[in-house]
Amino acid sequence: MDRSLQLNRSSWDERAPLHAASKDYEVETLVQRPGHLSETVRFDLPLLGDINGLKTVHLQCHIGTDTLSLARLGAKVCGLDYSAASLAEARVLAERCAVAIEYVESDVYAADTVLPAGTFDLVYTGIGALCWLPRIEPWARAVAALLKPGGRLFLRDGHPMLMAVNEDHQDRLQLEYPYFEHEAPTVWHNDQTYVETEQRLAHTETHEWNHGLGEVVTALLAHGLQLTVLVEHQSIPWEALPGQMVKGSDGEYRLREQPARLPLSYSLVAVKA
């Protein structure tokens, strides 16, 4: 797992400045428009609700566009990530926007050892984060440890059913990758990141893991959280299945044909007893 962590962290360190420079992350829009929120947080708002004044930690925060958006909604927020380069971009963004956000460099499994455990009203995890974790149980343990009684977790992520589909088959939905958590990662080799850029990556190998919906829910229940919301969505904010999707005005991608065939993402809210 140490090698996987090192490979993935090197990839994120290299991607961070590319993402910050890309129009996809809307960094300049966030700087120029003080009320602007990231597309991810705008999508989350109906289920996220009022977070004004809540002590919040954003796990796996990357370059901080969603973290900044949570702060603009009134949360007292800090961000955590294991990529030093990502946090450097996040700090620059917060400074340019004159918003006070604390950023902490750490593996998410150790979040409760570098942040004050049992003090947070809200743990927020944005979409596309869980696939970088080898095991879901230590993540659930850290989430529960961070929350105070009555505090809640808000999670949106890619649906594990989607993650089991091989995107290379552009004429059909074909399951080829694990749905359930496996010790061995799915290994990818790619010299491109997911934003528009001409830069090619030097760190091309990354490791990912899928976590079944039941595995995520069961891990949270085992650590004393009570599920209050679980919604499956027919959309996701990236073109997960090239050639089979259309982009809506909300920035979300949906299947062009028979969108009810496959859940693409899900939102989950759980409260610490």
Side-chain angles (χ1 to χ4, degrees):
M1 294 308 175
D2 288 343
R3 179 173 180 270
S4 294
L5 180 72
Q6 291 168 4
L7 285 170
N8 288 346
R9 182 163 49 199
S10 294
S11 176
W12 285 109
D13 282 345
E14 187 176 7
R15 295 183 198 202
L18 304 180
H19 293 180
S22 166
K23 65 180 181 180
D24 299 85
Y25 273 88
E26 299 187 302
V27 166
E28 292 306 317
T29 302
L30 287 163
V31 172
Q32 294 167 16
R33 294 170 53 188
H36 189 70
L37 303 176
S38 68
E39 284 186 345
T40 297
V41 171
R42 291 202 302 272
F43 183 96
D44 291 340
L45 270 176
L47 295 176
L48 184 60
D50 183 8
I51 63 171
N52 185 46
L54 297 187
K55 185 177 180 181
T56 299
V57 56
H58 178 192
L59 300 180
Q60 297 171 270
C61 64
H62 191 36
I63 64 171
T65 52
D66 298 336
T67 324
L68 173 70
S69 299
L70 297 174
R72 285 180 169 175
L73 291 172
K76 301 172 184 177
V77 65
C78 69
L80 179 141
D81 202 280
Y82 68 178
S83 164
S86 294
L87 294 179
E89 297 293 348
R91 292 185 181 106
V92 168
L93 175 61
E95 183 177 357
R96 293 182 68 194
C97 294
V99 176
I101 299 174
E102 177 189 7
Y103 283 105
V104 177
E105 182 180 342
S106 174
D107 176 355
V108 70
Y109 291 157
D112 61 310
T113 68
V114 297
L115 294 171
T119 65
F120 288 93
D121 301 297
L122 176 66
V123 170
Y124 178 91
T125 296
I127 193 161
L130 296 188
C131 67
W132 303 101
L133 303 178
R135 296 179 58 227
I136 204 64
E137 186 277 332
W139 167 84
R141 184 210 59 79
V143 167
L146 288 167
L147 288 170
K148 68 182 186 182
R152 62 189 167 108
L153 162 71
F154 183 94
L155 162 72
R156 186 189 180 205
D157 209 356
H159 200 287
M161 199 69 210
L162 169 65
M163 300 306 177
V165 176
N166 186 340
E167 67 178 44
D168 293 336
H169 302 288
Q170 298 193 11
D171 60 339
R172 63 190 183 277
L173 301 179
Q174 184 155 324
L175 300 177
E176 292 188 9
Y177 301 117
Y179 173 86
F180 297 104
E181 182 180 297
H182 279 247
E183 182 176 352
T186 300
V187 178
W188 302 100
H189 296 275
N190 196 338
D191 67 352
Q192 298 181 57
T193 186
Y194 52 80
V195 301
E196 290 186 24
T197 176
E198 296 181 358
Q199 183 72 37
R200 291 296 178 259
L201 302 177
H203 298 92
T204 59
E205 182 176 341
T206 55
H207 293 183
E208 295 183 22
W209 297 262
N210 207 1
H211 310 286
L213 196 55
E215 293 172 331
V216 175
V217 171
T218 299
L220 292 169
L221 294 175
H223 286 282
L225 275 72
Q226 299 175 347
L227 192 69
T228 59
V229 174
L230 180 58
V231 179
E232 296 171 292
H233 307 290
Q234 295 182 29
S235 69
I236 196 164
W238 67 84
E239 192 177 10
L241 299 171
Q244 300 191 63
M245 310 189 87
V246 291
K247 186 177 183 179
S249 58
D250 58 356
E252 295 274 311
Y253 287 86
R254 296 166 176 84
L255 286 175
R256 179 181 291 108
E257 299 178 5
Q258 298 176 275
R261 287 180 294 164
L262 181 71
L264 301 180
S265 62
Y266 68 97
S267 296
L268 180 155
V269 179
V271 177
K272 184 175 180 178

